Amino acid sequence: MPSATIKIYLPHGDPKRLRTGEISNWSGKAVAGPRTELDQLLKREEAENVGVYLLTGVDPKSGGPAVYIGEAESIQSRLKQHLEKDFWNHVIYFTSKDENLTKSHIRYLEGRLIELAKQAGRASLTNSQATSSKLPESDRADMEIFLKKIEQLLPALGVEVLVPIASEGQSKEEARPLFCEVSGLKAQGHLTPNGMVVFAESQAAEKLRPSAKDYPWVVNTRAQLIKDGVLIPASGHLLFARNHEFSSPSAAAAVIHGGTANGRTAWKDSSGTTLKQLESTD
């Protein structure tokens, strides 16, 4: 993505409360905040406009992140209808400062946002079905530019549901392939700004180590990954069915080893140099 200057305004001085986001030379604007401040969010002038929105929270079935993506000719009226949904605890909506967005535009944006959220796979999508809109070629190009700005602004406001899990590393450290081996099994991944992504087809130990009993989070994490279909049974081991991001190299190594592990020494590059050694020489 191109470089950008992002302006985030905190009306209350608290980054967890109501905030607005803008990007230099962009006609769009974001308004975000917790569900507890929905009244304030809806009283804003921007809420009377056409736009797209995301409701984020926790999936009550899986315990993982969940998101609802929608569009509305009046953000204010539409969000009031979502009070019956229990899962969400945060909302962010996008409108245009020059009021040039039409119903067709926001339907197109909604469809593309849902498509990107599905591709990223970071959150379960609670939408039943996406709308669609056919736009002239020039309008599609404009909306794709608008969409790119949304993609840039969302993580800055704490929402990462569109960020691909296995996105290419943007720095030398992130782009470096790393490997984790245990009992002849091998996993591959790379560092990310959020921690560590382990690639699909990576292998993990089938059985837990005795030490895992002292660290319930390892047992619980593996059980949840199996339940979610991220880890699947293979011949004498477990296999990552798809890419999965962990909060740290150690968390990833612990799941692969079946017990606690030091990710700084468990992960190595192709020449066998540990992550700890690599970090001390970079």
Side-chain angles (χ1 to χ4, degrees), residues 10 18 64 70 79 105-106 131 149 156 159 177 200 211 230 249 252 268-269:
L10 311 175
L18 172 64
L79 288 183
H105 290 149
I106 59 174
T131 56
K149 299 301 183 183
V159 179
S211 62
V230 176
K268 303 176 182 179
D269 68 5

Side-chain angles (χ1 to χ4, degrees), residues 143-273:
M143 288 304 98
E144 286 297 322
I145 293 174
F146 199 93
L147 182 65
K148 287 297 182 184
K149 299 301 183 183
I150 290 178
E151 288 185 80
Q152 281 187 310
L153 198 49
L154 275 173
L157 291 168
V159 179
E160 298 192 348
V161 296
L162 302 186
V163 180
I165 289 179
S167 58
E168 295 183 4
Q170 299 301 307
S171 66
K172 179 181 69 174
E173 291 77 10
E174 292 174 23
R176 179 190 292 123
L178 295 172
F179 305 90
C180 180
E181 299 186 30
V182 56
S183 303
L185 304 175
K186 192 171 186 178
Q188 181 176 349
H190 69 67
L191 296 175
T192 71
N194 290 331
M196 181 101 198
V197 63
V198 177
F199 296 147
E201 303 300 321
S202 290
Q203 299 171 321
E206 182 178 36
K207 296 181 179 180
L208 290 165
R209 292 177 174 176
S211 62
K213 296 179 181 178
D214 298 326
Y215 300 90
W217 70 267
V218 178
V219 179
N220 295 337
T221 299
R222 280 170 57 100
Q224 187 63 53
L225 291 176
I226 293 172
K227 181 180 178 180
D228 293 342
V230 176
L231 283 176
I232 59 175
S235 180
H237 62 275
L238 297 175
L239 193 70
F240 280 81
R242 57 180 183 270
N243 300 325
H244 186 77
E245 188 174 55
F246 292 90
S247 59
S248 70
S250 291
V255 167
I256 292 165
H257 284 209
T260 55
N262 184 340
R264 302 295 165 184
T265 55
W267 288 97
K268 303 176 182 179
D269 68 5
S270 56
S271 65
T273 305

Side-chain angles (χ1 to χ4, degrees), residues 82-141:
H82 288 306
L83 289 173
E84 62 186 31
K85 291 182 172 64
D86 292 332
F87 84 92
W88 67 276
N89 52 36
H90 186 272
V91 59
I92 179 168
Y93 60 82
F94 294 87
T95 62
S96 176
K97 290 180 286 188
D98 58 18
E99 300 184 359
N100 280 338
L101 287 178
T102 67
K103 181 67 172 178
S104 296
H105 290 149
I106 59 174
R107 282 190 170 183
Y108 178 86
L109 288 172
E110 179 199 42
R112 290 286 287 120
L113 286 168
I114 290 174
E115 180 183 338
L116 292 174
K118 287 180 178 179
Q119 291 175 358
R122 286 186 178 271
S124 59
L125 197 65
T126 65
N127 294 57
S128 57
Q129 188 175 357
T131 56
S132 61
S133 175
K134 292 184 178 180
L135 292 175
E137 184 179 6
S138 59
D139 282 34
R140 289 200 306 272

